[in-house]
Amino acid sequence: MKNKLLLFIAFLLSSFSVMAQIETLPGKLVLADGQEIEGKIAYYYDNPLIINVYDAANNKKTFEPRDIKEIYLANGQRFVSKVFTTPYETGSRIFQVVVASDKLSLYKREAADLEFYVVKNDEIIRLENNEITFKDTNGKKYKKLDYKYIGTLTTVMQDRADLTDKIQETKFTEKGLAAIVTAYSNGAISYYFASEVETETKPYWLAYAHFTNHASLYRDKTTGPSHGYQIGAQYYFSVKSRNSIRFGLDFSNYDMTELHKDQFGTQRVNVLHSVKSLSLKYQYDFVQSEKIKVYLTAHLLEIGYYTRDYKNDESEDVEKIAMIPRLSPGMGFDVKLHDKISGFFELNHMFQFHALPKNFSVGAKYTFLK
């Protein structure tokens, strides 16, 4: 149980606080040759080499970052395609513009982590704030941030000695970086986009229903047909969030075999476990694209009414109401079937290796996001 809890905690901590930049909105695409295309634009950082545009008849055109100059979305967001060089590759990338100015601009990319860049004289420079580990004299390990972005900003803004103190106080946030870039440009900016706009931070709900095949109940295998049905609601913390919570009302039966001792010895007894419960799950989407999501789930707990019906045995049936921590991980695959409808398949209780892949669910979801 201890190892299971440690694995679960590691899984949970690794998935929080990660956001994904997802845009499926009306807008305008400006191609590298100057041609303009209007329609519904879809771009996902989990598939960074593809930009899709849909016209009024839902016909799709696909482009790569190298084909594009700029993207303008109806909500005011602006993106640019720029050639960027890393120690590993050189290629075109899509950046969101936060602040645009002739002197200095601020871009961002929301990939696995939020990345910020400043642009001066057409040179794109990444701002970093890395976590580093060091030891004290007693050998104890500590973690701290290196604040590398402070040095980068100091170098980029070396012609503005009056901003030295302000640079040192700048926080590694979009708001903080936008403020110092705006100050360097003396307020002479041509574009600014505040990330706190409603379309980005607005939470939303989904309704779902699924059928479940049960190959185990906790650590014990089922021995007969064991199925369940669940209906529920799923809450995403924002339009861009990869994190969500699921609240489900579950009705399940488990056909089991147990060993019972009596005056004649040990006998195998068939037992039907029935569960009516309210379950709580956490979901983290580690892959998001226009049509597909791949995600991890964590079944946190359930509160329910449990009964045991002993067949062909004189043992008394058992009824109880209980809250049971589950701490059980799973994995799922979601495919968009319609604008608001998707189908999904999940593997459940993945620590119960003896029951894989027979612990599974299949169902559908409906989103209320407008």
Side-chain angles (χ1 to χ4, degrees):
M1 179 64 183
K2 182 179 179 181
N3 290 336
K4 180 178 177 180
L5 182 60
L6 290 174
L7 284 170
F8 172 79
I9 292 173
F11 152 77
L12 198 60
L13 291 178
S14 68
S15 61
F16 272 110
S17 302
V18 183
M19 304 286 285
Q21 175 80 32
I22 304 174
E23 304 296 346
T24 309
L25 295 171
K28 179 175 68 175
L29 210 67
V30 181
L31 301 183
D33 61 6
Q35 181 184 356
E36 296 184 359
I37 300 175
E38 294 187 359
K40 190 175 182 181
I41 301 171
Y43 175 72
Y44 293 77
Y45 281 122
D46 284 330
N47 193 11
L49 299 181
I50 298 295
I51 302 97
N52 289 324
V53 183
Y54 297 86
D55 62 18
N58 209 34
N59 298 311
K60 181 176 72 173
K61 290 186 178 181
T62 299
F63 301 92
E64 296 182 15
R66 64 185 179 184
D67 303 322
I68 294 170
K69 180 181 179 183
E70 293 180 284
I71 302 172
Y72 297 90
L73 296 179
N75 67 355
Q77 288 178 305
R78 178 184 167 194
F79 297 78
V80 294
S81 177
K82 297 287 185 181
V83 176
F84 184 73
T85 300
T86 71
Y88 310 102
E89 63 176 347
T90 296
S92 296
R93 288 187 178 183
I94 300 294
F95 299 89
Q96 183 178 347
V97 182
V98 180
V99 178
S101 168
D102 291 338
K103 297 185 68 176
L104 187 68
S105 297
L106 177 66
Y107 294 170
K108 73 174 182 179
R109 294 183 77 248
E110 296 182 45
D113 296 300
L114 185 59
E115 302 171 356
F116 292 106
Y117 301 80
V118 288
V119 185
K120 187 176 184 180
N121 299 327
D122 290 328
E123 181 183 4
I124 302 175
I125 306 165
R126 184 174 176 181
L127 302 175
E128 299 182 62
N129 194 23
N130 304 301
E131 186 178 75
I132 58 175
T133 302
F134 69 98
K135 294 182 180 180
D136 62 14
T137 55
N138 297 320
K140 188 174 181 179
K141 292 183 178 181
Y142 292 89
K143 290 184 178 181
K144 68 175 185 179
L145 299 173
D146 64 7
Y147 298 99
K148 186 177 178 181
Y149 72 98
I150 296 293
T152 303
L153 290 173
T154 301
T155 301
V156 170
M157 301 181 183
Q158 59 184 319
D159 55 332
R160 289 290 302 274
D162 58 308
L163 294 178
T164 300
D165 291 340
K166 190 169 184 177
I167 292 172
Q168 297 298 319
E169 298 171 356
T170 298
K171 294 182 179 180
F172 194 70
T173 63
E174 183 174 331
K175 183 177 180 180
L177 296 172
I180 192 65
V181 169
T182 301
Y184 179 80
S185 302
N186 292 317
I189 60 176
S190 58
Y191 176 86
Y192 177 84
F193 185 84
S195 65
E196 294 82 7
V197 295
E198 182 182 0
T199 55
E200 294 184 346
T201 58
K202 180 181 177 181
Y204 68 99
W205 289 88
L206 296 89
Y208 71 87
H210 67 66
F211 163 84
T212 299
N213 185 75
H214 297 295
S216 63
L217 176 60
Y218 310 119
R219 296 183 180 181
D220 299 321
K221 287 185 178 181
T222 57
T223 53
S226 303
H227 306 130
Y229 301 90
Q230 185 174 127
I231 57 173
Q234 183 171 356
Y235 178 81
Y236 272 89
F237 298 99
S238 77
V239 173
K240 289 188 176 182
S241 178
R242 292 178 184 256
N243 302 291
S244 61
I245 296 292
R246 287 160 55 173
F247 307 90
L249 189 60
D250 189 272
F251 304 88
S252 291
N253 292 314
Y254 303 83
D255 198 330
M256 314 285 291
T257 300
E258 296 181 2
L259 295 177
H260 280 217
K261 291 183 178 180
D262 57 24
Q263 65 270 29
F264 302 108
T266 301
Q267 299 184 42
R268 291 184 178 273
V269 178
N270 291 330
V271 184
L272 180 64
H273 294 253
S274 295
V275 180
K276 300 177 179 66
S277 65
L278 177 65
S279 71
L280 181 66
K281 278 188 178 182
Y282 163 73
Q283 178 176 315
Y284 167 63
D285 305 338
F286 67 88
V287 173
Q288 291 180 327
S289 65
E290 188 177 353
K291 297 291 184 182
I292 293 172
K293 289 181 182 178
V294 183
Y295 56 87
L296 299 174
T297 62
H299 190 167
L300 302 177
L301 59 86
E302 60 188 26
I303 303 171
Y305 175 68
Y306 302 83
T307 64
R308 286 186 183 183
D309 180 12
Y310 292 90
K311 304 176 181 178
N312 305 320
D313 189 75
E314 296 180 356
S315 301
E316 294 185 4
D317 295 344
V318 177
E319 299 181 3
K320 68 177 181 178
I321 296 175
M323 181 179 74
I324 300 179
R326 297 301 298 269
L327 305 182
S328 183
M331 185 174 181
F333 183 83
D334 186 299
V335 179
K336 192 173 183 180
L337 305 174
H338 186 265
D339 187 40
K340 292 182 177 293
I341 299 173
S342 63
F344 66 93
F345 175 85
E346 295 177 354
L347 291 175
N348 304 314
H349 310 304
M350 295 184 69
F351 283 161
Q352 297 173 19
F353 302 109
H354 63 278
L356 289 176
K358 295 180 181 180
N359 273 327
F360 69 85
S361 298
V362 59
K365 295 181 182 180
Y366 179 88
T367 178
F368 294 97
L369 179 66
K370 294 181 180 181

